[in-house]
């Protein structure tokens, strides 16, 4: 069982594709370099200005420590941070515990073309 964070964003109108390019080209690689497991991310099928980011952690403490280190890092702050934040209109976060098999199913079905 792992702690899974689901972030849902409503983006500024017309910025979905730009946001995705920043996520795929800059933010996601920084997450991976920091050891954060990105399960899936992308534009929603119903609206390209709706976006999701799913990340998995060992437990809630690991999530808090990893995020504190990541978001406090100068590489993030001087890198894609501003470009990401200025495109987000609304953000909703949910955290749950899921079995590894469910996480792998999400990873395989949603991100197969991203890696």
């Amino acid at each position: 069982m792992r702690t899974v964070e689901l972030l849902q964003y409503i983006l500024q109108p017309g910025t979905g594709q730009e946001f995705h390019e920043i996520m795929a080209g800059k933010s996601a690689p920084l997450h991976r370099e920091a050891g954060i497991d990105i399960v899936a991310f992308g534009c929603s099928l119903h609206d390209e200005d709706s976006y999701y980011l799913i990340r998995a952690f060992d437990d809630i403490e690991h999530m808090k420590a990893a995020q504190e280190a990541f978001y406090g890092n100068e590489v993030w702050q001087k890198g894609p941070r501003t470009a990401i934040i200025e495109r987000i209109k609304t953000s909703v976060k949910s955290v749950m515990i899921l079995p590894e098999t469910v996480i792998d199913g999400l990873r395989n079905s949603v991100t197969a073309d991203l890696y």
Side-chain angles (χ1 to χ4, degrees):
M1 301 294 281
R2 294 184 70 200
T3 298
V4 174
E5 175 192 52
L6 172 62
L7 294 163
Q8 297 173 286
Y9 305 121
I10 297 174
L11 304 174
Q12 297 296 339
T15 64
Q17 287 304 312
E18 294 171 352
F19 189 89
H20 184 67
E21 289 172 14
I22 296 163
M23 279 295 299
K26 296 179 183 176
S27 184
L30 289 178
H31 277 78
R32 290 188 192 99
E33 288 174 21
I36 296 176
D37 180 8
I38 293 183
V39 176
F41 63 94
C43 295
S44 176
L45 294 176
H46 84 288
D47 177 3
E48 73 174 20
D49 291 330
S50 293
Y51 205 86
Y52 61 91
L53 171 61
I54 304 171
R55 304 185 286 194
F57 302 90
D58 297 336
D59 51 41
I60 196 83
E61 292 80 17
H62 176 234
M63 182 184 81
K64 290 176 183 176
Q67 290 177 353
E68 185 176 310
F70 179 78
Y71 291 119
N73 189 314
E74 189 174 326
V75 175
W76 163 255
Q77 291 180 2
K78 292 188 176 181
R81 180 185 181 276
T82 300
I84 291 281
I85 290 174
E86 68 187 14
R87 286 171 174 79
I88 297 173
K89 183 176 179 183
T90 305
S91 176
V92 177
K93 175 179 177 172
S94 296
V95 178
M96 63 198 90
I97 304 293
L98 293 174
E100 194 71 42
T101 54
V102 172
I103 295 167
D104 286 342
L106 286 169
R107 184 184 326 275
N108 294 335
S109 65
V110 181
T111 60
D113 62 330
L114 297 176
Y115 298 105

